Amino acid sequence: MIAKTYSPQDIEEKWYQYWIDNQFFKSTPDEREPYTIVIPPPNVTGLLHMGHMLNNTIQDVLVRKARMEGKNACWVPGTDHASIATETKVVNMLKERGIQKNDLTREEFLAYAWEWKEKYGGIILQQLRKLGASCDWDRTRFTMEPDLYDSVIDVFVDLYEKGQIYRGVRMVNWDPQGLTAVSDEEVIMKEVQQKLSYIRYQIKGEDDYVTVATVRPETIMADSAICVNPNDERYTHLHGKYALIPLINRAIPIITDEYVTMDFGTGCLKVTPAHDPNDYELGVKHRLPVVDILNDNGTLNEKAQILVGKDRFAARKEILVLLEESGNLVKTEEYKSNVGYSERTNAVIEPKLSLQWFLKMDQLAKPALDNVMNDVVQLVPPKFKNMYRSWMENPHDWCISRQLWWGQQIPAFYMKDGTIIVAKNKREALRKAQREYQLFALTEVDLTQDEDVLDTWFSSWLWPMSVFNGIKEPNNADINYYYPTNDLVTGFDIIFFWVARMIIAGYAFRNERPFEHVYLTGMVRDKQGRKMSKQLGNSPDPLDLIAVFGADGVRTGMLFSSAAGNDLLFDEKLCEQGRNFNNKLWNAFRLVKGWTVQEQSAGAVGSPSTGSQQLPIQWFTAKLNTTLAEVEDHFSKFRISDALQSIYKLIWDDFCSQYLEMIKPPYDQEAGASLPIDADTYEATVNFFEQIVQLAHPFMPFITEEIWQQLRERETGASICVAPFPKGGSVDSQILADFAVLTEAVTMIRNLRSAKGLSPRVELPLAIRTEQPDRFRPLEGLFNKLANVVDFQYVSEKVPGTPFLIKSDEFFVNIAGEVDEEAELAEAQKELTYLIGFKESIQKKLSNEKFVTNAKADVVDRERQKLADAEAKIKALEDRLK
């Protein structure tokens, strides 16, 4: 017994477990063509959000289609250890237990981190199963598992030995809350309203002053110079002199450099090399001292001399008071500027000179740039190539060290004199030191490993290779079979963070692209266009949506309007539309399976003849083949949303609303049931149904499996997952054209009935003025069934009846005797009078030379079109009245 309504909750878990039990998602190398996707590994701290839903639905669509095409589809899942995010979670967990990180050894802290990871780290992968993700779960990887950890260490050692990695003091982005350096890509710029403070510096030994404008008055104690433009005549008399820093009276030189913009602020620049990247470059150029007045946590240190121990923002407020009291504050103005924030902690980033590890990027980046520009690796949509090029043409060296404990510890070991030995582990470092420095008395106790860990992205840039153990074993069966992968699906916001670096790594370590296509999704926003966030409360829980609309409803809902690279404006109505689509398909399934099949030969009493059903079968065959060609074209261009729209129209409009209406058996009022349908038509319909659910399966896997299993008897262990994806055939364009006229005419007749209040049961005579009567004779049975028209006539002149035109053919529906003719005449005369008046007003406007001369051309053209339309309607009404 088929359920009256489709209930996703009853079938989704059943079929997912069935797929797992039968290992349909499992992949091992064989003779088939591989199709490989590696999942963008979500943070181990993460929970499923709407961005994951969109991204993973697209991946699943691609993987399921490839699997049905007979390819050896392999979708590798996994998670990223997410150094900063995870360490923050663990620190918060420890605080709840009354434990401070500083009271623990590294090993003790890591034990707690692994405890947290084992408890919470797999949640998001379990949630992806609810979505229907067809990953090979046996291949699940984690960026901190032993093989992947070792791969990262091996790569560091290799690059260091090639001279690509170095250690040095550089200006970095410092997160005072996370207490670690972060990369440029992890800094979010925000426009902030600040105060521009004008501060007086006294000229040393003179009763003269120079005024400097700054948004960071708390850093004046770190100033090393004041700089003016050598072409600025206002300050020529100050060249070579010294100024005194207010409040602490330290003398600093007044220098000149054309870097200074004369018309910004006062034209005088305070140079603070320790706390501004541009000032740092200026300081290097002029050999200025570096005075760092900030501690790692953003408080002022002893070098500041005043406000020591104060937070930088508290110090900013207090120093303005002190400057005002001392007479050094001239004025303050409101000023908007961009300020960098840490992506992870939302703390304001502090430019800071720090001893860090860096990877040289200039030479490594070149193959990754060239092979995207020449489309060896294709970005979808290609508009992102310009963004990619702007980043990759002049890349900064990558700061790869982080001041954390959770992550791959940098394999650098220090001897007591500071000599650095880079090796995979302490034992190898010892051997290396003994061999290179002849220090045979050296022991492991004499070596200390660097405390820092590597940037999380330094592990995930290896992901397409490391998941197949391609770094440690570069010639193993998996890496040789699955690499390079086929498609990567990810957000455009990490194109440089991750995508570019994976391409760099692919060419650096295998001299090969890591993937052929990069499908870049947009951002999921709410219907007002706002970014989804917990703070705004506009981000629905995907699992709640699945509970309400079903996984297939949410999947299709999200894909209805999500073109590659474009933001998706999410509205729950999309999921409602997806659920309605599922219900439409289910109801069609119930209808077909509810028919009684007439086993007698065609033409038996009570059974429509096979011949009368052949035209709808031929028509839907042509429609199906047309759609299959469309879908293949869309997939080849990664227009996933368009492919779904084509399938939606085929199922909803062509199959359910038209084909089934054409072939369904008539209802026997006396018997209270439908008459039987002939076996040939039924078999053709089941075949069609089988093909459309196979076509829709990648998008809506659960309901299609449920229907496919019940359409006909299946072998044990069979599944739509591995059924063939439909392939198109030849298209009968003539039957498509004939049925286009049929459906338009039926719609017009139905609209006429509705407008005149005529029951569908009232038979109406139909005359057709056409030069091709033989085109319509085979369609008479369908006209009768769909529009209840009778007494077909083919005429060469106009005849009584309500006319409508479809291309060159004119149709006349005779409703005389079925309507009040006097009322119809009166209504027609009223409409004619209105149209004549409307026509005259348009003619008056167009006869006004001033209007025609001065109005825009498109406005005049619209008025002329209105006139032409009115004249056509008047003629039609006059003919009708005659």
Side-chain angles (χ1 to χ4, degrees):
M1 180 69 180
I2 300 171
K4 185 176 181 182
T5 57
Y6 174 63
S7 176
Q9 293 77 11
D10 295 339
I11 67 109
E12 288 176 356
E13 190 172 338
K14 173 186 73 174
W15 288 121
Y16 200 86
Q17 192 58 49
Y18 177 79
W19 297 330
I20 295 294
D21 291 344
N22 286 277
Q23 299 189 326
F24 292 123
F25 308 156
K26 187 174 179 60
S27 176
T28 54
D30 59 25
E31 70 286 348
R32 290 175 294 165
E33 176 188 348
Y35 177 83
T36 316
I37 286 184
V38 292
I39 199 171
N43 286 352
V44 74
T45 57
L47 296 174
L48 200 64
H49 59 60
M50 298 306 291
H52 292 134
M53 291 285 284
L54 174 61
N55 185 293
N56 286 284
T57 296
I58 292 168
Q59 290 177 79
D60 196 44
V61 168
L62 295 172
V63 169
R64 285 182 180 273
K65 179 174 183 284
R67 190 178 290 120
M68 296 177 76
E69 289 172 333
K71 297 172 185 173
N72 190 348
C74 180
W75 184 11
V76 182
T79 49
D80 188 283
H81 65 278
S83 293
I84 298 175
T86 304
E87 188 145 328
T88 302
K89 293 277 188 183
V90 176
V91 168
N92 291 338
M93 177 188 78
L94 292 173
K95 282 181 181 177
E96 291 173 4
R97 299 183 187 181
I99 303 171
Q100 295 297 316
K101 178 188 174 185
N102 295 340
D103 295 334
L104 300 174
T105 65
R106 187 187 198 105
E107 289 68 28
E108 288 169 338
F109 178 82
L110 289 176
Y112 282 116
W114 279 105
E115 174 195 326
W116 188 95
K117 184 267 175 187
E118 294 306 319
K119 185 174 182 180
Y120 299 106
I123 292 175
I124 192 165
L125 297 183
Q126 291 298 321
Q127 292 176 324
L128 284 176
R129 295 170 185 246
K130 296 284 187 185
L131 180 65
S134 59
C135 301
D136 183 350
W137 298 108
D138 293 340
R139 290 184 174 274
T140 303
R141 308 309 295 262
F142 174 51
T143 52
M144 282 277 281
E145 68 178 78
D147 281 347
L148 275 70
Y149 189 108
D150 291 346
S151 296
V152 173
I153 301 303
D154 289 349
V155 163
F156 183 96
V157 173
D158 177 64
L159 290 171
Y160 180 82
E161 290 177 347
K162 290 175 179 174
Q164 299 282 22
I165 287 178
Y166 64 93
R167 189 174 187 238
V169 175
R170 296 286 187 278
M171 182 69 73
V172 299
N173 303 304
W174 185 260
D175 181 343
Q177 186 173 324
L179 298 178
T180 182
V182 296
S183 65
D184 291 345
E185 296 77 37
E186 292 167 292
V187 177
I188 308 300
M189 301 306 294
K190 301 179 184 178
E191 191 176 62
V192 175
Q193 189 75 35
Q194 301 192 90
K195 288 191 182 299
L196 186 63
S197 302
Y198 289 75
I199 301 169
R200 296 200 313 170
Y201 289 62
Q202 185 177 358
I203 304 303
K204 185 180 179 182
E206 299 181 16
D207 190 21
D208 192 10
Y209 294 85
V210 64
T211 302
V212 171
T214 180
V215 293
R216 299 206 62 187
E218 76 280 8
T219 64
I220 63 171
M221 297 81 77
D223 290 352
S224 293
I226 287 176
C227 191
V228 296
N229 192 301
N231 303 310
D232 194 335
E233 295 179 356
R234 293 174 297 173
Y235 302 116
T236 305
H237 67 291
L238 297 179
H239 294 184
K241 295 186 178 182
Y242 284 78
L244 298 175
I245 298 175
L247 303 179
I248 64 171
N249 289 324
R250 177 161 57 82
I252 53 174
I254 297 173
I255 62 174
T256 62
D257 198 292
E258 291 187 348
Y259 166 76
V260 178
T261 304
M262 290 189 287
D263 58 0
F264 175 75
T266 63
C268 291
L269 175 74
K270 65 187 283 295
V271 184
T272 318
H275 301 296
D276 183 276
N278 296 317
D279 288 7
Y280 174 71
E281 297 298 330
L282 203 57
V284 170
K285 180 179 178 181
H286 292 274
R287 298 183 179 180
L288 299 173
V290 176
V291 183
D292 186 347
I293 64 167
L294 290 177
N295 295 313
D296 288 349
N297 64 358
T299 58
L300 273 62
N301 62 30
E302 290 77 8
K303 292 180 183 177
Q305 301 181 43
I306 58 174
L307 304 175
V308 175
K310 294 284 186 181
D311 177 78
R312 54 190 169 148
F313 296 115
R316 182 178 299 179
K317 292 179 180 178
E318 291 186 33
I319 202 166
L320 289 176
V321 175
L322 295 175
L323 288 167
E324 189 164 22
E325 290 174 350
S326 67
N328 291 97
L329 183 64
V330 179
K331 63 177 180 177
T332 60
E333 294 177 348
E334 292 299 314
Y335 178 70
K336 279 186 178 178
S337 63
N338 288 321
V339 175
Y341 285 77
S342 169
E343 184 187 43
R344 291 292 174 203
T345 65
N346 203 38
V348 173
I349 288 295
E350 192 63 54
K352 183 177 176 64
L353 282 171
S354 182
L355 183 61
Q356 303 283 348
W357 288 91
F358 295 87
L359 174 62
K360 297 176 184 177
M361 295 294 284
D362 50 356
Q363 293 304 311
L364 283 175
K366 193 173 186 311
L369 172 60
D370 293 344
N371 285 288
V372 168
M373 290 301 104
N374 64 21
D375 287 332
V376 171
V377 177
Q378 295 181 33
L379 303 186
V380 182
K383 68 180 182 181
F384 286 108
K385 285 173 72 172
N386 288 333
M387 178 194 295
Y388 182 89
R389 181 175 57 203
S390 68
W391 281 337
M392 295 292 284
E393 281 183 332
N394 188 27
H396 296 145
D397 286 356
W398 178 7
C399 177
I400 57 174
S401 48
R402 298 291 181 268
Q403 289 62 56
L404 302 164
W405 281 352
W406 175 247
Q408 293 90 0
Q409 191 172 357
I410 291 175
F413 301 86
Y414 302 96
M415 297 198 303
K416 290 181 179 178
D417 64 357
T419 301
I420 300 173
I421 308 292
V422 170
K424 294 180 183 180
N425 51 52
K426 187 174 280 192
R427 181 174 296 177
E428 285 198 20
L430 178 61
R431 289 173 183 163
K432 195 172 182 181
Q434 290 172 337
R435 184 174 63 250
E436 293 183 7
Y437 297 100
Q438 305 297 305
L439 298 172
F440 298 110
L442 204 68
T443 67
E444 289 188 13
V445 177
D446 299 313
L447 296 175
T448 304
Q449 187 170 357
D450 196 304
E451 287 286 312
D452 290 352
V453 299
L454 287 158
D455 180 11
T456 297
W457 298 105
F458 196 81
S459 58
S460 54
W461 78 321
L462 306 176
W463 187 248
M465 294 175 285
S466 60
V467 295
F468 300 116
N469 215 20
I471 299 295
K472 287 188 69 182
E473 298 177 31
N475 201 32
N476 75 74
D478 274 5
I479 192 73
N480 288 336
Y481 181 73
Y482 293 113
Y483 189 94
T485 67
N486 295 78
D487 302 319
L488 176 76
V489 181
T490 190
F492 75 89
D493 52 327
I494 56 173
I495 191 172
F496 188 72
F497 263 140
W498 190 46
V499 176
R501 287 170 176 165
M502 282 190 290
I503 300 172
I504 290 170
Y507 285 103
F509 302 114
R510 292 194 71 84
N511 196 28
E512 202 169 9
R513 64 188 179 188
F515 26 70
E516 186 177 353
H517 303 101
V518 181
Y519 181 105
L520 295 160
T521 63
M523 190 170 287
V524 182
R525 300 181 180 274
D526 67 13
K527 57 187 176 184
Q528 298 176 42
R530 300 175 303 175
K531 185 176 179 179
M532 288 189 168
S533 69
K534 290 180 181 176
Q535 289 79 7
L536 289 174
N538 63 345
S539 182
D541 184 331
L543 296 184
D544 290 344
L545 292 175
I546 289 173
V548 174
F549 300 105
D552 292 332
V554 178
R555 288 168 64 113
T556 50
M558 293 199 75
L559 290 182
F560 276 136
S561 57
S562 55
N566 292 346
D567 288 349
L568 167 63
L569 298 184
F570 179 77
D571 188 335
E572 280 196 15
K573 288 180 180 176
L574 290 169
C575 295
E576 192 174 327
Q577 183 184 358
R579 181 178 62 186
N580 292 345
F581 185 31
N582 279 263
N583 289 339
K584 185 79 170 179
L585 191 60
W586 186 255
N587 289 337
F589 169 60
R590 288 183 61 244
L591 174 69
V592 172
K593 292 300 284 185
W595 290 337
T596 302
V597 181
Q598 174 61 267
E599 298 297 344
Q600 294 170 253
S601 60
V605 177
S607 170
S609 71
T610 304
S612 69
Q613 305 288 48
Q614 281 305 303
L615 281 177
I617 291 170
Q618 291 169 14
W619 168 76
F620 190 75
T621 299
K623 269 289 183 185
L624 176 62
N625 286 334
T626 301
T627 301
L628 290 173
E630 281 178 14
V631 168
E632 278 303 325
D633 183 58
H634 290 321
F635 268 108
S636 71
K637 296 167 183 170
F638 287 88
R639 296 198 298 245
I640 311 298
S641 183
D642 291 344
L644 175 59
Q645 289 288 357
S646 293
I647 295 168
Y648 177 87
K649 286 171 62 180
L650 176 77
I651 292 175
W652 191 294
D653 297 341
D654 301 327
F655 186 71
C656 296
S657 299
Q658 296 191 45
Y659 173 76
L660 291 181
E661 288 296 312
M662 293 176 191
I663 58 98
K664 73 177 180 183
Y667 190 77
D668 186 338
Q669 293 289 346
E670 292 184 10
S674 295
L675 294 172
I677 187 170
D678 70 275
D680 290 344
T681 302
Y682 182 77
E683 183 60 25
T685 302
V686 170
N687 281 334
F688 286 147
F689 220 134
E690 197 167 38
Q691 289 187 76
I692 64 174
V693 293
Q694 286 169 205
L695 178 61
H697 175 73
F699 295 92
M700 39 207 303
F702 293 108
I703 190 172
T704 52
E705 181 77 81
E706 178 76 6
I707 291 173
W708 186 87
Q709 292 283 356
Q710 296 185 59
L711 274 173
R712 59 174 86 246
E713 289 292 320
R714 304 291 179 191
E715 294 179 2
T716 303
S719 172
I720 195 173
C721 279
V722 289
F725 193 77
K727 291 184 178 179
S730 60
V731 175
D732 184 341
S733 55
Q734 185 58 53
I735 200 165
L736 289 178
D738 292 348
F739 271 62
V741 174
L742 166 70
T743 52
E744 187 177 350
V746 168
T747 300
M748 297 291 283
I749 295 166
R750 287 175 174 175
N751 290 343
L752 177 64
R753 285 182 185 275
S754 177
K756 304 304 178 186
L758 299 177
S759 167
R761 295 181 181 179
V762 174
E763 295 180 336
L764 298 174
L766 178 67
I768 307 174
R769 187 169 70 152
T770 179
E771 294 179 359
Q772 298 175 286
D774 289 344
R775 180 186 186 189
F776 292 96
R777 288 192 176 97
L779 301 175
E780 289 180 3
L782 289 169
F783 267 110
N784 174 259
K785 185 172 186 177
L786 300 174
N788 199 14
V789 290
V790 293
D791 298 337
F792 287 86
Q793 294 180 40
Y794 298 95
V795 297
S796 55
E797 299 293 334
K798 291 182 181 291
V799 295
T802 302
F804 59 86
L805 196 67
I806 299 177
K807 294 188 176 177
S808 59
D809 298 316
E810 193 167 13
F811 297 74
F812 301 89
V813 183
N814 194 339
I815 56 173
E818 303 295 342
V819 296
D820 183 337
E821 289 189 13
E822 288 188 10
E824 287 287 308
L825 283 168
E827 183 64 31
Q829 188 61 58
K830 181 180 176 183
E831 187 177 355
L832 180 62
T833 302
Y834 165 79
L835 283 170
I836 290 170
F838 178 74
K839 171 189 167 184
E840 289 172 351
S841 69
I842 297 295
Q843 286 175 324
K844 186 176 180 182
K845 187 182 287 187
L846 289 171
S847 64
N848 183 334
E849 190 175 332
K850 190 175 181 181
F851 168 75
V852 174
T853 303
N854 296 328
K856 290 182 179 179
D858 62 326
V859 173
V860 176
D861 287 344
R862 279 200 297 272
E863 293 301 316
R864 285 175 176 151
Q865 185 60 51
K866 286 180 188 177
L867 178 62
D869 291 345
E871 287 173 340
K873 288 178 181 177
I874 288 169
K875 185 176 186 307
L877 272 173
E878 287 173 343
D879 289 344
R880 184 175 162 194
L881 285 166
K882 287 177 185 176

